[in-house]
């Protein structure tokens, strides 16, 4: 697929970062390429052009960069989902699975009104633990999670399928084998 090849060429792969055996998919090269960045954002929002989306929720930290651009493109608001202890106002919190153990993410309790239509954004989905936690957090405050979108899918790790089993449509722009 031409789009996938084109955008894939803009991703840099760093072997053994942050630890041995991991192939780190670095999107900073895509973000730094004006054409690739615009193309990626346009493609991410494509299915919802003309739909009324109230809010885009971005997962810290790379989801903020993409989510801000996606929100602008959809004329939607932006909501940050952050690591615990970073948000100043009253929050709701959700534990999520990491490779070893768990962590917690937070969102402002009044960031989304019940029934608002929300799209979740991050750069990459691997095991889906992070995105699953974000969907649960959004649903906890009554958000209508319409979709989750990611530039990169690592399908062998099953995260996108995990979200689909939670009735969240998933959009990804490219896939890499392995992890
Ligand atoms: P997961 O919860 O397993 O789906 O992991 C997704 C989160 O970890 C995302 O926020 C990604 O940015 C990050 N991540 C996981 N694996 C990689 C990888 N191979 N390269 C870059 N980022 C990754």
């Amino acid at each position: 697929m031409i789009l996938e090849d084109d955008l894939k060429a803009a991703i840099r792969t760093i072997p053994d970062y942050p630890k041995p055996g991991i192939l780190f998919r670095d999107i900073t090269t895509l973000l730094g390429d004006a054409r690739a960045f615009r193309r990626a954002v346009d493609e991410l929002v494509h299915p919802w052009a003309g739909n009324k989306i109230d809010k885009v929720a971005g997962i810290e930290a790379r989801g903020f960069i993409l989510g801000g651009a996606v929100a602008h493109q959809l004329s939607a608001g932006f909501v940050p989902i952050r690591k615990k202890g970073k948000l100043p106002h009253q929050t709701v919190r959700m534990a999520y699975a990491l490779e070893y153990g768990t962590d917690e993410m937070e969102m402002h309790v009044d960031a989304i009104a019940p029934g608002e239509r929300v799209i979740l954004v991050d750069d990459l989905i691997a095991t889906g633990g992070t995105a699953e936690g974000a969907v649960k957090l959004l649903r906890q405050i009554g958000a209508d999670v319409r979709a989750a979108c990611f530039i990169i899918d690592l399908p062998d790790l099953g995260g996108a399928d995990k979200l689909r089993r939670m009735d969240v449509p998933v959009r990804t722009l490219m896939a890499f084998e392995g992890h």
Side-chain angles (χ1 to χ4, degrees):
M1 194 179 134
I2 290 164
L3 166 72
E4 173 157 356
D5 289 347
D6 202 27
L7 285 180
K8 243 181 172 172
I11 304 286
R12 175 165 58 191
T13 297
I14 314 280
D16 299 320
Y17 181 90
K19 54 188 182 187
I22 302 286
L23 290 172
F24 190 86
R25 308 300 181 177
D26 175 19
I27 65 154
T28 64
T29 40
L30 180 147
L31 298 174
D33 176 338
R35 208 176 133 263
F37 186 19
R38 172 171 284 285
R39 188 92 192 264
V41 172
D42 286 349
E43 289 297 328
L44 280 177
V45 304
H46 189 72
W48 300 281
N51 285 32
K52 173 105 189 63
I53 296 298
D54 299 300
K55 302 271 166 66
V56 173
I59 300 175
E60 187 170 1
R62 282 162 274 160
F64 291 177
I65 304 163
L66 293 167
V70 165
H72 177 80
Q73 193 85 329
L74 291 173
S75 299
F78 177 79
V79 173
I81 296 180
R82 300 210 63 179
K83 289 159 189 154
K84 66 167 184 266
K86 305 276 190 181
L87 288 168
H89 183 56
Q90 192 187 338
T91 60
V92 284
R93 191 178 278 196
M94 181 64 62
Y96 65 105
L98 292 173
E99 200 177 348
Y100 303 105
T102 61
D103 205 346
E104 289 177 302
M105 62 177 80
E106 289 183 339
M107 192 171 56
H108 276 146
V109 67
D110 57 358
I112 293 170
E116 282 194 311
R117 288 177 287 249
V118 177
I119 290 180
L120 179 68
V121 177
D122 201 1
D123 64 330
L124 179 149
I125 182 153
T127 65
T130 311
E132 178 187 30
V135 169
K136 286 183 181 167
L137 187 61
L138 289 164
R139 286 181 170 167
Q140 186 181 311
I141 62 166
D144 174 5
V145 183
R146 285 300 169 107
C149 52
F150 308 86
I151 292 184
I152 301 167
D153 185 18
L154 305 184
D156 297 345
L157 297 180
D161 286 340
K162 182 184 279 183
L163 289 191
R164 291 183 181 112
R165 285 196 298 274
M166 298 172 77
D167 290 324
V168 179
V170 178
R171 176 158 177 81
T172 62
L173 303 184
M174 69 183 76
F176 288 98
E177 284 178 14
H179 60 90

